[in-house]
């Protein structure tokens, strides 16, 4: 006992430091080991703060489209939406910064937005050429997007939202686009184009 007291007296701060460090490392390893892997990520940016059930329903709807076409994917919708009239300035700044990084990194290529946010991005000179221009697929915003209103995708999404316990009085008009990629053989980019074509084909 005396020996322990002596050790504790001389090494207590060092012992506490290494104990905390061990816990931090253990938590980090556990987080990495249990982190969910996604086959596809969607950037979702609207002018309304929506319940998480909406983005979750969108994930399920997109997964169902791929499944119908013989592919099983784990989809993640990254929601950067915020109310432009919100007084939470820090929250808005964080969302804008995070979205900007994601778009520059080009690790995700599907971009879904409402009219307000799509025009905000499209009219930003720094974002010129950000979206794929293709008049064979897109018919809005200078052939860089199409509206998902009155499509099978929107109908399926509304059903999923209701199944997940949320009611939306009026579905916003969402626009979908593809972020440009220099490497046309990029697998994520090819999946994005595939999803666009499947949504258009379903009508």
């Amino acid at each position: 006992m005396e020996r322990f007291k002596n050790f504790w007296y001389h090494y207590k701060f060092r012992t506490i430091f290494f104990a905390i460090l061990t816990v931090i490392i253990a938590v980090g390893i556990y987080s990495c080991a249990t982190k969910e892997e996604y086959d596809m990520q969607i950037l979702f940016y609207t002018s309304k703060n929506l319940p998480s059930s909406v983005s979750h329903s969108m994930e399920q709807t997109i997964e169902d489209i791929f499944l119908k076409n013989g592919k099983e994917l784990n989809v993640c919708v990254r929601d950067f939406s915020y109310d432009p009239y919100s007084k939470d300035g820090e929250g808005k700044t964080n969302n804008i910064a995070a979205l900007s990084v994601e778009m520059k990194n080009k690790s995700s290529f599907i971009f879904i937005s409402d009219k307000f946010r799509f025009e905000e991005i499209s009219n930003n000179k720094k974002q010129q050429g950000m979206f794929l221009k293709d008049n064979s697929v897109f018919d809005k915003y200078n052939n860089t997007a199409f509206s998902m209103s009155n499509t099978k995708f929107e109908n399926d999404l509304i059903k999923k939202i209701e199944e997940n316990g949320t009611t939306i009085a009026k579905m916003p008009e969402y626009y979908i686009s593809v972020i440009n990629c220099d490497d046309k053989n990029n697998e994520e980019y090819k999946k994005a184009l595939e999803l666009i074509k499947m949504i258009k084909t379903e009508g």
Side-chain angles (χ1 to χ4, degrees):
M1 190 69 179
E2 193 63 35
R3 195 173 174 183
F4 173 75
K5 284 181 181 178
N6 191 42
F7 174 85
W8 184 249
Y9 178 78
H10 290 288
Y11 298 104
K12 64 181 170 186
F13 293 114
R14 197 176 299 178
T15 303
I16 290 169
F17 171 75
F18 280 111
I20 292 170
L21 186 62
T22 302
V23 170
I24 291 170
I25 291 170
V27 169
I29 291 170
Y30 176 79
S31 296
C32 288
T34 57
K35 187 179 179 182
E36 190 169 2
E37 294 292 325
Y38 296 104
D39 301 302
M40 186 179 207
Q41 293 195 81
I42 312 294
L43 303 182
F44 186 48
Y45 182 54
T46 72
S47 52
K48 287 188 178 180
N49 292 324
L50 297 167
S52 59
S53 58
V54 173
S55 54
H56 179 58
S57 299
M58 193 174 286
E59 289 168 353
Q60 292 175 318
T61 307
I62 293 169
E63 286 171 353
D64 285 350
I65 290 175
F66 276 105
L67 199 57
K68 276 186 258 179
N69 287 272
K71 286 190 178 180
E72 191 171 346
L73 297 186
N74 190 14
V75 176
C76 173
V77 171
R78 306 275 309 280
D79 190 357
F80 299 94
S81 305
Y82 67 85
D83 183 346
Y85 302 106
S86 169
K87 294 179 181 177
D88 179 14
E90 187 178 344
K92 287 194 276 190
T93 304
N94 290 343
N95 278 21
I96 293 168
L99 177 65
S100 180
V101 168
E102 286 294 328
M103 293 182 84
K104 283 178 184 175
N105 285 344
K106 295 193 176 184
S107 55
S108 307
F109 295 97
I110 289 289
F111 183 79
I112 297 176
S113 185
D114 58 15
K115 186 179 183 205
F116 182 89
R117 292 296 180 207
F118 202 93
E119 290 180 357
E120 175 190 66
I121 296 282
S122 298
N123 294 332
N124 186 334
K125 289 183 179 179
K126 291 180 181 178
Q127 306 290 357
Q128 292 299 310
M130 176 64 70
F131 300 115
L132 174 68
K133 186 175 180 179
D134 185 347
N135 60 9
S136 68
V137 180
F138 302 117
D139 57 0
K140 305 288 183 186
Y141 297 107
N142 199 24
N143 302 123
T144 59
F146 68 78
S147 169
M148 293 191 291
S149 282
N150 303 313
T151 61
K152 187 174 186 309
F153 180 88
E154 184 187 62
N155 292 335
D156 291 345
L157 176 58
I158 291 168
K159 284 177 190 173
K160 284 287 181 193
I161 292 170
E162 290 171 351
E163 284 171 14
N164 289 323
T166 302
T167 302
I168 294 180
K170 189 177 186 302
M171 194 70 177
E173 183 173 15
Y174 289 137
Y175 292 86
I176 188 166
S177 190
V178 173
I179 295 171
N180 250 324
C181 182
D182 296 330
D183 179 10
K184 302 307 178 187
N185 291 316
N186 181 295
E187 287 303 318
E188 292 299 316
Y189 179 71
K190 287 198 284 188
K191 276 187 273 190
L193 294 179
E194 191 178 357
L195 176 62
I196 291 289
K197 286 173 184 174
M198 288 189 293
I199 292 174
K200 286 287 282 187
T201 301
E202 285 194 338

